[in-house]
Amino acid sequence: MARHLDERTLRVVGWIATVTAILMYGSYLDQIRMNLAGEKGSVIQPLATVLNTCLWAAYGWLHKDKDWPIIVANVPGIILGATCLYTAL
């Protein structure tokens, strides 16, 4: 699959990936709810999520031409991962 995608197709794939990433981070809402109800979850996954999403958002931000799909996809992961981590403590 060495074929290069045109810029428009690459942008569309980037935004589709952004939406699916946001949906994935939305799964933390249920864990946050359970944490607040006293059913504490592990801190390992939300900690890894916060570190990973911070690094990816920084990568997108520091890119020569800001990579907005990467930034937008990872900001919810930072917020929801940090919230899940906090409520799991």
Side-chain angles (χ1 to χ4, degrees), residues 9-10 15 22 33-34 54 63 74 86:
T9 303
L10 191 58
W15 283 108
I22 291 169
R33 181 191 58 76
M34 291 188 318
C54 282
H63 209 265
N74 285 284
Y86 177 77

Side-chain angles (χ1 to χ4, degrees), residues 31 34-36 38-44 46 84-85 87-89:
Q31 186 59 53
M34 291 188 318
N35 288 344
L36 292 173
E39 301 174 44
K40 301 292 186 180
S42 172
V43 298
I44 296 170
C84 189
L85 177 63
T87 60
L89 297 174

Side-chain angles (χ1 to χ4, degrees), residues 37-85:
E39 301 174 44
K40 301 292 186 180
S42 172
V43 298
I44 296 170
Q45 185 176 7
L47 177 60
T49 297
V50 171
L51 293 174
N52 181 267
T53 53
C54 282
L55 289 170
W56 275 112
Y59 171 82
W61 185 262
L62 296 171
H63 209 265
K64 180 181 175 189
D65 298 321
K66 296 206 183 330
D67 198 331
W68 288 107
I70 289 177
I71 296 166
V72 172
N74 285 284
V75 167
I78 294 168
I79 295 166
L80 293 171
T83 302
C84 189
L85 177 63

Side-chain angles (χ1 to χ4, degrees), residues 19-41:
V19 170
T20 59
I22 291 169
L23 292 173
M24 177 182 66
Y25 297 133
S27 67
Y28 277 109
L29 293 172
D30 191 47
Q31 186 59 53
I32 292 167
R33 181 191 58 76
M34 291 188 318
N35 288 344
L36 292 173
E39 301 174 44
K40 301 292 186 180

